[in-house]
Amino acid sequence: QVQVVESGGGLVPPGGSLRLSCAASGNIGSISGMGWYRQAPGKWRELVATINSAGRTNYADFVKGRFTISRDNAKNTVYLQMSSLKPDDTAVYYCNAQIWTTTGRTLELWGQGTLVTVSS
């Protein structure tokens, strides 16, 4: 079974920093795109940042200059370093990954989400 699991959420004061991790596991052949999305209460899920297998990144305008996405292909892990956090960044953050399995299947997987709360 292939899955992705996030970690690293929590409570942080405004202006603080936090790093999220998302690890994929199972019968993975390769991983193309990986990314982070978030959903605040009463709002739609929105893209935060993505990174492809070559390391090309894409960010939502509201996180440019504050968040950095990176990945470790050897560990099948993607990270989101968040700094200068604002109360508006409070949301459940979800990891997304496009995975080719060793059995030839293509999967798009979502993690269970990790809550980030920015509050004093």
Side-chain angles (χ1 to χ4, degrees), residues 10-79:
L11 174 64
V12 61
S17 298
L18 206 60
R19 189 176 86 152
L20 306 182
S21 300
C22 170
S25 62
N27 56 329
I28 297 170
S30 64
I31 303 176
S32 54
M34 302 186 81
W36 290 94
Y37 294 72
R38 71 185 189 185
Q39 187 167 16
K43 295 187 177 181
W44 295 103
R45 188 174 299 188
E46 60 186 357
L47 180 147
V48 175
T50 61
I51 184 167
N52 68 11
S53 58
R56 179 173 294 179
T57 59
N58 177 56
Y59 293 94
D61 287 343
F62 54 79
V63 302
K64 285 182 178 178
R66 300 189 299 124
F67 292 9
T68 301
I69 189 170
S70 62
R71 62 190 282 175
D72 184 332
N73 292 329
K75 296 181 179 179
N76 293 327
T77 299
V78 63
Y79 304 96

Side-chain angles (χ1 to χ4, degrees), residues 77-95:
T77 299
V78 63
Y79 304 96
L80 186 68
Q81 178 67 47
M82 305 184 292
S83 60
S84 302
L85 283 161
K86 308 173 183 179
D88 285 350
D89 294 318
T90 296
V92 177
Y93 284 71
Y94 295 92
C95 174

Side-chain angles (χ1 to χ4, degrees), residues 105-120:
R105 297 174 62 198
T106 302
L107 304 175
E108 180 175 14
L109 297 181
W110 291 90
Q112 81 286 354
T114 185
L115 177 62
V116 173
T117 303
V118 184
S119 175
S120 55

